[in-house]
Amino acid sequence: MLSEEAANSLSKKELMQKKNGVNSTIRQARSLFSKKAKAIYRLAKIEFPFPHGFMEVSVFSTADHDFSLPDIECIKGIFSELRELKKTNQDKYLVRLLGLFVGLRPQEIKWLRKDRVRNSGYWYIRIEITDEFDSKGYVVRNVPIPEELALEIQTTCKDNGSEFVISGHKTYRTKKLFDTINDELRQNYLHGVRR
């Protein structure tokens, strides 16, 4: 932990980075005491006192990040390009759909398999850990989506020759495609944004 004096010498951004690092460590440590972990310990006949005090420790507040939305013309432009991308580059179109309307992270999009767009009485995208991909925090989750969106994703990627929603070989799907998308977004809409 930083002393108060050391913390006061950091910029606001550096302090937020330190707090995020500590929060991440706390969350990872807490995962050792999750219900799933405790079940594994019981099966292995491992017993220890449960750290109630540690589990109740508050994480640092990092809500004062300085975020801002692009202006409305940028947002309109990003969305208006969808129709054109559907005709000219279906992979870029799918990346935008999955990012804008589903909220998937880039790594989740890159490794999303077609069979993870599912219907069990409602449509959802299943984010799972695989040999190639570990989800953030190793969390497996279902992301509910509207039926129209699920069918649009399935129809668009149906004949792309890949088991993944995004077509092409691994390097194209995981690096080259996203590099071009990021460059286009920066050049056309998000000037000066590096991430």
Side-chain angles (χ1 to χ4, degrees):
M1 296 297 291
L2 291 171
S3 68
E4 189 173 334
E5 183 181 321
N8 288 336
S9 70
L10 296 174
S11 71
K12 186 176 179 181
K13 181 179 177 183
E14 291 170 325
L15 187 58
M16 285 297 124
Q17 288 172 333
K18 297 283 186 198
K19 286 180 177 181
N20 276 330
V22 171
N23 288 348
S24 178
T25 302
I26 289 171
R27 287 187 192 98
Q28 288 175 29
R30 283 183 179 163
S31 71
L32 295 173
F33 306 105
S34 67
K35 288 181 182 177
K36 193 179 284 187
K38 286 191 280 186
I40 293 169
Y41 300 148
R42 275 195 299 277
L43 287 172
K45 297 184 173 33
I46 297 172
E47 293 183 25
F48 53 84
F50 188 76
H52 293 284
F54 170 69
M55 297 300 279
E56 293 167 6
V57 169
S58 297
V59 295
F60 285 111
S61 169
T62 56
D64 57 349
H65 284 289
D66 293 328
F67 290 115
S68 61
L69 286 171
D71 64 52
I72 192 65
E73 293 308 313
C74 291
I75 294 171
K76 285 180 182 176
I78 290 169
F79 278 88
S80 69
E81 279 187 345
L82 284 174
R83 286 187 191 93
E84 187 59 32
L85 284 175
K86 184 174 181 178
K87 297 176 201 166
T88 60
N89 190 316
Q90 292 189 333
D91 287 330
K92 289 181 182 180
Y93 172 68
L94 286 164
V95 169
R96 291 258 183 105
L97 283 184
L98 292 165
L100 293 169
F101 295 104
V102 183
L104 296 188
R105 298 176 177 99
Q107 287 299 102
E108 294 170 340
I109 295 171
K110 293 171 186 180
W111 294 101
L112 181 62
R113 295 175 185 272
K114 292 177 184 176
D115 65 358
R116 301 304 194 266
V117 180
R118 299 178 177 169
N119 185 345
S120 294
Y122 69 97
W123 284 94
Y124 64 95
I125 291 179
R126 176 85 171 161
I127 303 300
E128 295 180 339
I129 298 165
T130 66
D131 290 340
E132 307 103 351
F133 167 73
D134 293 327
S135 62
K136 183 176 181 180
Y138 300 95
V139 174
V140 175
R141 63 192 172 106
N142 292 336
V143 182
I145 58 174
E147 179 179 4
E148 295 83 1
L149 179 58
L151 297 176
E152 178 68 9
I153 292 166
Q154 286 184 328
T155 302
T156 304
C157 71
K158 181 180 178 183
D159 297 320
N160 72 2
S162 173
E163 64 186 299
F164 296 96
V165 170
I166 306 301
S167 69
H169 57 79
K170 178 182 172 183
T171 303
Y172 165 78
R173 194 179 71 251
T174 62
K175 176 139 179 61
K176 291 182 179 177
L177 176 64
F178 276 79
D179 286 349
T180 62
I181 289 172
N182 289 340
D183 288 344
E184 289 166 5
L185 287 172
R186 286 186 195 110
Q187 180 180 348
N188 298 324
Y189 304 109
L190 305 171
H191 308 289
V193 174
R194 300 312 309 158
R195 184 168 178 178

